[in-house]
């Protein structure tokens, strides 16, 4: 039994999902003739109360497209120093859109309205880049699956409105926040200009993200997606996986959260663990006591076929997901208890 807890992207499509994909009606989606993609886009748009949506091969491409439609070269986007759009998209903000990131020193990947307010450049000052966009991540990835307070997001929205800034949500794991905080997608749809959501993380589809926005924004995004090489032909097979995931795998995220919390509580009690960050969703981040190296922990668990990852700076990460079954959970709990250094 191999237990892979390095990410929630490691899931494989279930037989039921594959059957559903197999039966999809498809067409050429570059010509907007794939009925399954069109239906999927409309379903997700309606769920969030947005006008329109566009299917993407990856979350990175959906985010990068959002950056491009909201900015011109030379502009600046405000985001947390740990945000995926800055750290983990290969420098795409600069390479694809010619923009710079104004990094905010947030808490667990989350920024405040006050910090945003202070980071906006005066558009009258010719020395400074135009601030055009604020990008938020919920849940935060490097922040350990932390969820924003909706009130703070509303305050940031007000600042965006006052300063004529676009407001983007990188919602790769927004599903986890919706379940953990018992929120509704329309609450986010009402706040943000654009939202990217992912179907290949916690929801277990093999591929696929969706970008949501107004008709006009999605029209621009359609062109940018082509420019980025993301126009796919019979993509309905993939959209079908997303549709299946939406129908069957959202409510069950609760189970992933419960198991992550249990692991967090257990780790907290172990003498070789220094500190466990608060577990809000499906990500557990912890540090080991001084003198102990992360790689020793990774190696020791690997010998028991349990795979976890390092985040650098002395941090280790465990991510629970759809393919992490109860029997694996008991096994991991048992072996964490047995480890000695
Ligand atoms: C994984 C992730 C993405 C990008 O998703 P890919 O489909 O892997 O490109 C974007 N944002 C966040 C916060 C993520 O965790």
């Amino acid at each position: 039994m191999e237990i892979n807890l390095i990410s929630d992207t490691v899931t494989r499509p279930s037989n039921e999902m594959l059957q559903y994909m197999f039966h999809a009606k498809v067409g050429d989606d570059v010509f907007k003739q794939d009925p399954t993609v069109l239906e999927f886009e409309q379903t997700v748009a309606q769920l969030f109360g947005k006008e329109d949506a566009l299917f993407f091969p990856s979350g990175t491409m959906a985010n990068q497209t959002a950056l491009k439609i909201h900015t011109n070269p030379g502009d600046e986007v405000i985001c947390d120093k740990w945000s995926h759009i800055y750290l983990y998209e290969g420098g795409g903000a600069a390479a694809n859109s010619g923009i710079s990131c104004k990094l905010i020193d947030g808490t667990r990947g989350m920024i405040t309205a006050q910090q945003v307010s202070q980071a906006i450049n005066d558009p009258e000052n010719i020395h400074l880049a135009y601030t055009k966009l604020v990008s938020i991540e919920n849940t935060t990835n490097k922040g350990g699956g932390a969820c924003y307070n909706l009130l703070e997001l509303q305050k940031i929205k007000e600042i965006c409105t006052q300063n004529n800034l676009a407001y983007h949500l990188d919602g790769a794991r927004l599903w986890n926040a919706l379940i953990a905080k018992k929120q509704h997608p329309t609450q986010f749809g009402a706040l943000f200009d654009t939202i990217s959501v992912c179907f290949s993380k916690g929801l277990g589809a093999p591929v696929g993200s969706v970008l949501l926005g107004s008709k006009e924004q999605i029209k621009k995004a359609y062109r940018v997606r082509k420019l980025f090489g993301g126009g796919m032909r019979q993509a309905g097979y993939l959209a079908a996986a997303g549709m299946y995931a939406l129908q069957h795998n959202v409510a069950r995220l609760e189970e992933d959260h419960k198991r992550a919390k249990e692991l967090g509580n257990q780790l907290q009690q172990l003498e070789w663990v220094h500190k466990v960050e608060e577990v809000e969703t499906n990500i557990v981040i912890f540090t080991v006591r001084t003198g102990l190296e992360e790689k020793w922990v990774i190696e020791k668990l690997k010998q028991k076929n349990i795979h976890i990852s390092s985040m650098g700076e002395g941090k280790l990460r465990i991510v629970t997901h759809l393919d992490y079954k109860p029997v694996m959970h008991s096994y991991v709990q048992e072996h964490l208890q047995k480890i000695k250094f």
Side-chain angles (χ1 to χ4, degrees):
M1 185 164 61
E2 288 289 326
I3 302 174
N4 194 343
L5 299 172
I6 65 165
S7 175
D8 44 6
T9 52
V10 302
T11 57
R12 294 184 184 117
S14 63
N15 280 330
E16 293 79 10
M17 183 183 275
L18 287 169
Q19 281 308 314
Y20 193 84
M21 293 165 71
F22 190 69
H23 291 107
K25 287 198 182 69
V26 297
D28 189 332
D29 185 52
V30 173
F31 292 113
K32 290 271 171 212
Q33 287 173 1
D34 186 302
T36 307
V37 173
L38 295 176
E39 189 196 349
F40 182 52
E41 289 170 341
Q42 287 321 303
T43 302
V44 185
Q46 273 169 23
L47 182 63
F48 282 83
K50 297 305 275 183
E51 274 179 7
D52 212 349
L54 194 66
F55 188 53
F56 280 83
S58 73
T60 298
M61 197 190 282
N63 281 334
Q64 289 298 317
T65 297
L67 297 183
K68 195 160 181 75
I69 66 171
H70 290 306
T71 61
N72 292 309
D75 292 344
E76 201 159 76
V77 51
I78 295 174
C79 61
D80 183 86
K81 65 184 184 299
W82 283 351
S83 52
H84 198 279
I85 61 157
Y86 168 69
L87 261 191
Y88 298 133
E89 298 187 4
N96 298 320
S97 298
I99 59 173
S100 56
C101 298
K102 175 90 127 216
L103 300 180
I104 304 231
D105 188 14
T107 307
R108 302 191 72 200
M110 297 181 290
I111 59 180
T112 65
Q114 197 190 354
Q115 287 175 313
V116 170
S117 181
Q118 287 164 351
I120 300 169
N121 291 337
D122 173 7
E124 298 302 322
N125 185 337
I126 59 147
H127 300 86
L128 307 176
Y130 278 124
T131 308
K132 281 289 180 63
L133 172 66
V134 176
S135 181
I136 294 291
E137 203 171 296
N138 196 36
T139 71
T140 60
N141 178 339
K142 201 176 174 187
C147 304
Y148 266 91
N149 181 328
L150 207 58
L151 259 176
E152 198 64 38
L153 292 179
Q154 279 159 353
K155 282 192 205 158
I156 299 175
K157 163 76 176 176
E158 282 164 27
I159 290 167
C160 289
T161 309
Q162 285 160 13
N163 293 278
N164 216 5
L165 308 180
Y167 197 22
H168 174 68
L169 172 60
D170 175 356
R173 292 193 183 83
L174 184 58
W175 310 109
N176 296 85
L178 293 173
I179 294 298
K181 296 279 180 187
K182 301 194 186 340
Q183 291 160 333
H184 193 272
T186 52
Q187 293 179 286
F188 289 89
L191 277 183
F192 290 90
D193 295 304
T194 50
I195 303 178
S196 66
V197 288
C198 183
F199 293 85
S200 62
K201 291 234 162 101
L203 300 198
V207 169
S209 279
V210 165
L211 182 67
L212 299 150
S214 67
K215 279 238 173 312
E216 201 186 325
Q217 285 157 344
I218 295 302
K219 191 173 169 209
K220 285 186 192 159
Y222 179 41
R223 171 172 276 275
V224 173
R225 186 184 67 176
K226 184 67 188 159
L227 168 72
F228 287 171
M232 298 182 287
R233 301 298 177 178
Q234 286 70 38
Y237 294 115
L238 301 175
M243 190 71 106
Y244 182 90
L246 197 55
Q247 287 163 3
H248 297 89
N249 295 343
V250 179
R252 64 150 307 285
L253 289 171
E254 189 107 52
E255 292 176 41
D256 299 345
H257 298 173
K258 181 168 162 282
R259 284 177 201 131
K261 223 167 230 126
E262 286 169 2
L263 292 176
N265 289 341
Q266 184 188 3
L267 286 164
Q268 194 74 76
Q269 309 301 321
L270 301 176
E271 58 90 23
W272 52 273
V273 173
H274 169 60
K275 182 167 176 267
V276 183
E277 285 180 23
E278 189 190 341
V279 180
E280 292 186 52
T281 51
N282 68 327
I283 304 178
V284 186
I285 291 183
F286 63 101
T287 47
V288 291
R289 65 153 203 249
T290 31
L292 184 64
E293 288 188 34
E294 297 144 65
K295 61 176 188 221
W296 298 349
V297 177
I298 291 176
E299 198 44 48
K300 203 146 214 165
L301 287 170
K302 206 179 190 172
Q303 287 165 10
K304 299 292 170 196
N305 299 321
I306 300 166
H307 305 273
I308 72 169
S309 61
S310 164
M311 301 198 80
E313 302 166 30
K315 290 179 182 172
L316 287 159
R317 185 175 93 152
I318 291 176
V319 189
T320 60
H321 52 74
L322 183 59
D323 287 356
Y324 179 56
K325 306 290 184 204
V327 48
M328 300 177 176
H329 188 45
S330 319
Y331 177 92
V332 170
Q333 286 174 309
E334 186 191 324
H335 286 281
L336 280 179
Q337 210 61 37
K338 280 187 189 160
I339 291 187
K340 292 277 176 300
F341 291 96

